[in-house]
Amino acid sequence: MFKDREDAARRLATRLSHLRGKRPLILAVPRGAVPMGVILATELEGDLDLVLVRKLGAPGNPEYAVGAVDEAGHVYVNPDVTDWLEPAYLAREVERQRALLAARRAQYGAPQVDPAGRSVVVVDDGVATGATLIAALDAVRARRPAHVTVAVGVASPQAMERLRGHADAVVCALVPEDFHSVGQYYQEFGQVEDADVTEWLGAWHGPGR
């Protein structure tokens, strides 16, 4: 178990220490992974930015991810839901989440760093199904980075298997067999607010950067 997101980020930084000196680009998945991204970018002497994706919630259970969508409209759907997920519902959910992505991008500001040709680390605090993070990885891949590593605090074994097909390397601090939820592996797992993200990004991209 981690004490908090900072603890998870520092454990990941240790496992990614081979990237120090290579100026990696750390792309955090908002909102929870942003404080982790700040630590990784600092520890690895890299750059920091965001990759924006939104979970596609299941009918009647919005917390369960049936897939995810990125800013460009690319959609990933979990293979195990295609038999029962209605196309009409999926189309409505995609449009709803894309509208939220547009609003979030307007709040956070335009991307600051081009990942083309870069060594990129996509970071998240935890992964249950893998849908959101896979959409993030596919979005990053489309921009032609040289190498993509996914770094997560905790993941289910099923999510780990799915992630391996979408990144050059997968680094995860905890892969418990009895995984139930991301939050159960953090002693402190408070909500990260949009205002927090905006403040962290403003400080990172401010004068002197």
Side-chain angles (χ1 to χ4, degrees):
M1 179 174 284
F2 305 115
K3 178 182 177 182
D4 51 23
R5 289 182 176 93
E6 178 179 345
D7 180 23
R10 296 199 183 282
R11 293 198 210 180
L12 290 172
T14 298
R15 299 181 64 173
L16 294 168
S17 60
H18 60 282
L19 295 176
R20 189 176 292 113
K22 299 180 181 179
R23 199 169 177 80
L25 171 58
I26 312 301
L27 294 178
V29 179
R31 293 174 293 200
V34 176
M36 296 176 65
V38 172
I39 291 171
L40 283 174
T42 301
E43 292 287 324
L44 301 178
E45 301 172 357
D47 294 318
L48 174 68
D49 211 337
L50 306 179
V51 53
L52 299 189
V53 291
R54 288 286 298 183
K55 172 174 63 181
L56 301 173
N61 186 8
E63 292 304 311
Y64 179 76
V66 297
V69 60
D70 69 15
E71 292 182 88
H74 299 127
V75 177
Y76 171 81
V77 178
N78 282 337
D80 54 0
V81 305
T82 55
D83 289 342
W84 56 264
L85 188 64
E86 295 184 2
Y89 169 84
L90 179 62
R92 292 193 301 272
E93 180 68 355
V94 166
E95 287 308 306
R96 187 173 78 88
Q97 297 301 338
R98 287 194 70 189
L100 292 172
L101 279 173
R104 184 164 286 181
R105 175 57 73 188
Q107 179 174 2
Y108 294 158
Q112 300 287 329
V113 186
D114 186 357
R118 300 287 299 271
S119 180
V120 174
V121 177
V122 178
V123 59
D124 206 350
D125 51 15
V127 187
T129 68
T132 304
L133 195 49
I134 285 171
L137 291 167
D138 289 350
V140 173
R141 283 275 193 202
R143 300 179 68 187
R144 301 183 181 281
H147 187 275
V148 178
T149 299
V150 57
V152 296
V154 59
S156 67
Q158 296 81 3
M160 284 292 289
E161 287 301 314
R162 291 172 178 164
L163 290 172
R164 289 191 179 100
H166 296 265
D168 298 305
V170 180
V171 176
C172 184
L174 296 176
V175 188
E177 290 294 330
D178 60 343
F179 181 96
H180 294 292
S181 68
V182 173
Q184 79 180 105
Y185 299 99
Y186 289 82
Q187 293 176 12
E188 299 175 19
F189 196 64
Q191 180 79 11
V192 177
E193 303 294 343
D194 284 329
D196 300 323
V197 175
T198 302
E199 182 178 349
W200 277 315
L201 289 178
W204 184 270
H205 295 296
R209 287 286 181 181

